[in-house]
Amino acid sequence: MPTRRTVLNAALVTAGSGVFTGAALTPLMRHGEDAAAVEPAAANVDAPAIEKFKLRMPVPRVLTPYSTSDGVDRYRITMRTTQAEILPGLRTTVETYGGYFPGPVIRARSGRPVAITQRNSLDMPTSVHLHGSSVPAIDDGGPMETIAPGGSRLYTYPNQQSHASLWFHDHAHHMESEHVYRGLYGTYLLTDAEERSLPLPCGAYDVPIAIRDAQFDAAGQFVYVMGDFQNRTTLMANGVAYPRFEVAARKYRLRLLNSSNLRSFRLRLADGGEIVQIGSDGGLLTKPNPTDAVFLSPGERVDVVVDFSRYAVGTQLVLENTLLNGGPAELLGQVMRFDVVRTATDRSEIPSALRELPPLPQPTAERTVVLSMDETGGANAKGYINGKTYDPDRVDDFIRHGASEVWTVTNTNRFVPHNIHLHLVQFRVLERNGQPPAPAEAGLKDTVMLMPGETVKLQATFDTYRGTYLYHCHLIDHAAMGMMAQFKVS
Ligand code: C2O
Ligand code: CU
Ligand code: CU
């Protein structure tokens, strides 16, 4: 019999979050006594002490295409290891796209293809997946479509989809979780005429921020133990532990990505100040969602505007995380700090209407998806979709091209949260536990969280490419434990 502690160690228990109402909480969280009985995770005894807010948060490098002829933006990226200063004064070996840590940014436009030649100079196979994209199956970066060490592969992205804050990351089967942990992720900002027509903050005031956790040893090297969420207690923003970011007293658009393997965040400003959510995974919401906290499970994106003009120059404002899961508050409660250092003019605005979303078509099919994993805490724990672990030779779901399907997804675990990510499509959340979705998840989504016991109904329309694609839990240690399945559109 596993003890509660071992279950929790394996399990990533996530306490309540902004988008979930009380009804959504599991008994574990509702009664509180179990949560209280969990001893705080031993703080990472080996980890070096970290001086917070010492290093600056880097703004990720925007790559320049080597060619833009024939209407295609062409890039070359080499995956290789390098060293990065994540912890003040220490050098950490990281795996990167192009030597950049945090990963680089590709800026793309709808209707204009991007072609990337990825060379693998690492010593393990890799596969590059553009998360949130609609691309032909051959370019989707499947788990078995790997690039051998020393090899390279051309990925072509047609960008026949509307604007969205996408990201790319490794997907090589059984290795993706460790590769992403060590740095193989980057940002892909797809824009279109609809988005560009809006007076939102842009240029230097439009900043991608990837937030995640990690465990380090005394020398500052990453420690990767599959499923070991409890010991990943150092938080990073754009590849630096607890950085500070100097801002002007004006509006900023912040494109938040949770690139953690297992950890979810609930982020707020230390003063409880307003955060205006303008977008989610699949681009802008229909209208702004003013809030004081945003929730992000692994793989999800939330696009927000923060107006720093309400703060005096000299103000230091910490971005807090309120999902501690029994872990040490001094490590998990703060992510980064915004330092308001100057004034600036600001002609940007947040329009009261951001975009139109087409009405949902009449559904043509229904499907049930059950997410679960072994809650034994053992090293051999496996994850399941509809009771099965991933088999690359098996198609789990056959979908007619053009179908608009309603998927009823349930997390049947008692302790372990999951989420579900579909390749190829952006979907709509129809219901969470029988209730309409909160404004935060009422837009286009490609990844949605399910706390233990929760059920989400989503609707996806498969009217673009045909072929075999993945869907999986994006707590990617779980994906590596088998929690993936395949649908085939034909
Ligand atoms: Cu973020 Cu299957 O991917
Ligand atoms: Cu994906
Ligand atoms: Cu999972």
Side-chain angles (χ1 to χ4, degrees):
M1 251 313 260
T3 65
R4 174 186 293 140
R5 180 65 192 272
T6 58
V7 168
L8 292 173
N9 267 320
L12 166 57
V13 174
T14 305
S17 73
V19 297
F20 306 115
T21 59
L25 300 179
T26 63
L28 172 73
M29 285 167 275
R30 202 161 44 229
H31 300 313
E33 82 239 303
D34 282 305
V38 178
E39 318 138 51
N44 228 323
V45 277
D46 288 343
I50 302 163
E51 188 183 338
K52 285 182 187 168
F53 317 127
K54 183 173 182 348
L55 297 179
R56 284 168 197 265
M57 184 186 80
V59 172
R61 170 77 68 100
V62 179
L63 297 182
T64 307
Y66 73 83
S67 160
T68 56
S69 56
D70 311 322
V72 178
D73 294 341
R74 293 177 198 281
Y75 296 86
R76 287 189 194 100
I77 295 177
T78 299
M79 291 172 251
R80 60 181 181 86
T81 59
T82 186
Q83 309 262 301
E85 188 178 12
I86 299 172
L87 309 173
L90 293 172
R91 312 298 290 175
T92 304
T93 300
V94 292
E95 297 179 353
T96 68
Y97 290 110
Y100 299 109
F101 188 84
V105 178
I106 290 175
R107 286 194 171 264
R109 292 184 170 207
S110 297
R112 188 179 166 89
V114 163
I116 306 177
T117 303
Q118 292 275 8
R119 169 162 295 281
N120 181 3
S121 292
L122 299 169
D123 58 8
M124 302 272 274
T126 59
S127 175
V128 186
H129 169 62
L130 179 57
H131 178 127
S133 69
S134 172
V135 304
I138 188 79
D139 288 315
D140 197 44
M144 314 310 287
E145 298 279 322
T146 52
I147 311 170
S152 67
R153 180 172 182 130
L154 174 66
Y155 294 89
T156 302
Y157 304 132
N159 295 322
Q160 297 291 335
Q161 64 188 109
S162 53
H163 71 268
S165 307
L166 309 179
W167 66 302
F168 55 99
H169 61 77
D170 191 62
H171 223 309
H173 190 35
H174 288 316
M175 294 171 275
E176 73 283 64
S177 55
E178 182 162 1
H179 286 164
V180 172
Y181 186 85
R182 294 185 183 280
L184 283 183
Y185 52 92
T187 296
Y188 188 102
L189 302 179
L190 179 61
T191 190
D192 61 10
E194 181 182 39
E195 184 188 44
R196 281 200 307 277
S197 72
L198 302 176
L200 294 167
C202 59
Y205 305 108
D206 174 4
V207 183
I209 304 181
I211 293 172
R212 58 169 290 188
D213 63 1
Q215 181 184 8
F216 295 91
D217 67 16
Q221 299 306 316
F222 278 131
V223 175
Y224 179 78
V225 177
M226 191 179 284
D228 182 13
F229 154 78
Q230 295 284 91
N231 284 307
R232 297 177 191 163
T233 51
T234 299
L235 302 187
M236 296 151 60
N238 283 351
V240 168
Y242 312 104
R244 69 190 154 90
F245 184 52
E246 295 187 349
V247 294
R250 54 154 289 155
K251 289 192 269 324
Y252 279 72
R253 178 177 185 178
L254 305 174
R255 312 225 200 185
L256 305 174
L257 156 69
N258 181 355
S259 64
S260 300
N261 286 35
L262 294 170
R263 183 176 300 279
S264 295
F265 295 102
R266 186 168 187 263
L267 303 172
R268 72 188 290 274
L269 297 167
D271 69 341
E274 185 183 67
I275 298 172
V276 181
Q277 185 190 358
I278 58 169
S280 58
D281 302 332
L284 295 169
L285 301 174
T286 56
K287 56 178 195 289
N289 172 34
T291 180
D292 60 2
V294 295
F295 174 81
L296 283 161
S297 75
E300 286 187 294
R301 287 86 67 210
V302 167
D303 203 340
V304 302
V305 173
V306 175
D307 190 353
F308 294 102
S309 73
R310 61 177 181 254
Y311 303 108
V313 169
T315 303
Q316 299 182 328
L317 194 65
V318 171
L319 182 69
E320 295 180 343
N321 168 41
T322 59
L323 286 187
L324 302 179
N325 303 302
E330 65 282 9
L331 295 175
L332 297 173
Q334 298 185 317
V335 179
M336 61 179 290
R337 192 178 72 196
F338 296 102
D339 292 356
V340 183
V341 294
R342 62 190 169 89
T343 57
T345 54
D346 185 2
R347 274 189 287 272
S348 72
E349 281 169 41
I350 308 174
S352 56
L354 294 166
R355 79 173 322 169
E356 303 263 337
L357 285 176
L360 284 164
Q362 196 57 39
T364 55
E366 303 214 11
R367 213 170 282 281
T368 302
V369 177
V370 173
L371 307 175
S372 64
M373 72 177 284
D374 297 331
E375 292 182 311
T376 56
N380 298 322
K382 287 193 172 20
Y384 310 94
I385 291 183
N386 288 332
K388 296 176 186 151
T389 56
Y390 173 65
D391 176 351
D393 297 323
R394 183 185 74 229
V395 170
D396 298 276
D397 302 271
F398 291 88
I399 296 176
R400 192 175 53 74
H401 185 259
S404 189
E405 299 204 349
V406 172
W407 290 23
T408 301
V409 187
T410 301
N411 173 0
T412 57
N413 274 128
R414 285 189 60 211
F415 300 106
V416 190
H418 299 294
N419 65 17
I420 185 169
H421 166 54
L422 275 64
H423 286 213
L424 181 65
V425 291
Q426 292 287 336
F427 55 76
R428 302 286 298 275
V429 176
L430 303 179
E431 282 177 16
R432 173 179 292 282
N433 304 319
Q435 301 297 314
E441 52 187 15
L444 294 174
K445 296 283 294 166
D446 56 47
T447 307
V448 65
M449 183 66 170
L450 290 110
M451 297 300 293
E454 284 200 302
T455 295
V456 165
K457 267 189 207 283
L458 57 89
Q459 184 171 348
T461 302
F462 300 85
D463 57 357
T464 57
Y465 301 102
R466 294 167 204 262
T468 301
Y469 293 87
L470 282 180
Y471 66 98
H472 57 91
C473 178
H474 216 291
L475 279 68
I476 49 176
D477 292 31
H478 298 177
M481 296 171 195
M483 211 166 168
M484 301 199 292
Q486 306 192 98
F487 62 81
K488 181 174 184 180
V489 183
S490 52

